[in-house]
Amino acid sequence: MSDSWQITSLRGGATAAIASPDLDRKTGLAQETATRWFERRLSLRSPLDPPLADRPGRPAKPELVPPKAVTKRSLHTAQGRIALLHSIAHIELNAVDLALDIVARFATEPVPLSFFDGWMTVAFEEAKHFRMIRARLREMGADYGDMPAHDGLWQAAHSTRNDLTARLAVVPLILEARGLDVTPSLQAKMRETGDLETAAILDVIYNDEKGHVAVGAKWFRFLCARERKDPAATFQQLVRANFRGALKAPFNDIARAEAGLTPSFYRSLTSTSSA
Ligand SMILES: [Fe+2]
Ligand SMILES: [Fe+2]
């Protein structure tokens, strides 16, 4: 691939992918960096790595608006399903940048190399998810960029840029775990409306996302154990300090527990029991 020269190391490849405003290039760089890392053809860091930007590269469209300005429509219309797919595409795109940001930003942390294997698997799969959803949007006569999107996900992660444990609490264990809660009912609605193609894509995403939460829970517990901290209490403290907004029930307790995120982590943070 013509961008290979940009991949100076794992951190360099992740940084170049984050910076790219061209989404084919961003997702391509993410996947090629992951593949080369898994083949052990890349060092973790290099003095040639470009500096990590504060914001990811993005195309001119979609326009980014406050979360409340994004309208919700019925899934019984094609327009409503397109709007939903557009919002999922935006989430997946943010997820690509967020997984790569964990790698690039925290490449100097004293953690085992398998930490980076986990996050590059996540980045690879998020790139795959974005491409699948975008292809489905195009089949439906639309494309990513056609409607406005919001910037909440990147903002949520930004406040944890100096603290890896806090980053893991907010990104995989709050934001990605939320995907496990909402995806099964979306799949059911897609089947109900006869959109089996979209339901099948959501199946792939759902199964991969369980793995992403598991990677998050594994390394969150690892960091807590190293500091001799209680993981559930640490999670609650970090979420209160770094995440605005309450956690919304109902939770998919079974899928969350399978991923290693047990109710003792999040129960006391729901909108009813914490203010
Ligand atoms: Fe995803
Ligand atoms: Fe994910």
Side-chain angles (χ1 to χ4, degrees):
M1 153 175 195
S2 59
D3 284 317
S4 298
W5 61 270
Q6 290 198 14
I7 306 179
T8 45
S9 68
L10 176 69
R11 181 176 65 183
T15 302
I18 292 167
S20 178
D22 176 319
L23 303 182
D24 288 332
R25 195 166 157 209
K26 181 193 290 290
T27 50
L29 271 169
Q31 293 194 328
E32 194 186 346
T33 303
T35 303
R36 287 173 60 175
W37 173 252
F38 296 143
E39 290 169 353
R40 297 295 180 251
R41 288 158 59 208
L42 285 179
S43 61
L44 177 58
R45 305 182 296 263
S46 155
L48 302 175
D49 294 342
L52 179 61
D54 243 14
R55 294 194 54 82
R58 290 298 169 80
K61 292 211 158 189
E63 182 195 351
L64 295 179
V65 296
K68 289 210 169 98
V70 179
T71 48
K72 283 192 175 170
R73 284 176 237 176
S74 160
L75 297 182
H76 290 282
T77 65
Q79 267 326 98
R81 291 202 301 282
I82 287 171
L84 173 75
L85 283 167
H86 194 278
S87 70
I88 296 174
H90 187 67
I91 289 169
E92 299 296 349
L93 180 61
N94 272 283
V96 175
D97 285 320
L98 288 169
L100 294 170
D101 192 79
I102 289 175
V103 169
R105 191 171 300 280
F106 299 103
T108 50
E109 287 279 323
V111 286
L113 289 183
S114 57
F115 173 87
F116 300 101
D117 295 349
W119 294 107
M120 288 314 290
T121 300
V122 175
F124 188 99
E125 290 176 349
E126 304 297 14
K128 178 183 80 179
H129 298 168
F130 175 75
R131 288 174 165 188
M132 289 169 83
I133 294 283
R134 185 173 208 180
R136 182 71 190 129
L137 273 172
R138 287 172 172 167
E139 275 171 18
M140 295 176 80
D143 200 359
Y144 179 66
D146 286 355
M147 12 192 121
H150 69 76
D151 202 27
L153 290 176
W154 188 262
Q155 298 284 340
H158 192 68
S159 68
T160 60
R161 65 195 173 282
N162 298 317
D163 182 345
L164 177 57
T165 315
R167 171 63 63 89
L168 297 187
V170 170
V171 173
L173 300 185
I174 295 279
L175 300 176
E176 293 199 280
R178 178 81 187 135
L180 299 184
D181 302 334
V182 300
T183 309
S185 69
L186 286 179
Q187 285 171 298
K189 274 183 206 147
M190 289 297 170
R191 288 205 182 90
E192 224 177 87
T193 60
D195 189 345
L196 302 182
E197 294 87 346
T198 302
I201 294 170
L202 292 179
D203 257 340
V204 173
I205 292 179
Y206 180 68
N207 284 312
D208 288 347
E209 293 303 335
K210 282 190 209 166
H212 301 180
V213 176
V215 170
K218 171 185 164 179
W219 291 108
F220 183 83
R221 288 177 186 275
F222 170 90
L223 294 172
C224 288
R226 197 168 64 181
E227 306 277 310
R228 299 185 197 289
K229 287 180 178 163
D230 175 68
T234 306
F235 177 76
Q236 286 149 21
Q237 178 231 318
L238 289 172
V239 170
R240 288 201 175 98
N242 293 288
F243 186 73
R244 281 170 223 288
L247 273 59
K248 285 181 221 154
F251 300 106
N252 185 343
D253 289 325
I254 294 172
R256 284 169 168 255
E258 277 171 9
L261 184 57
T262 45
S264 63
F265 275 65
Y266 54 86
R267 272 282 175 248
S268 64
L269 293 167
T270 52
S271 37
T272 45
S273 58
S274 79

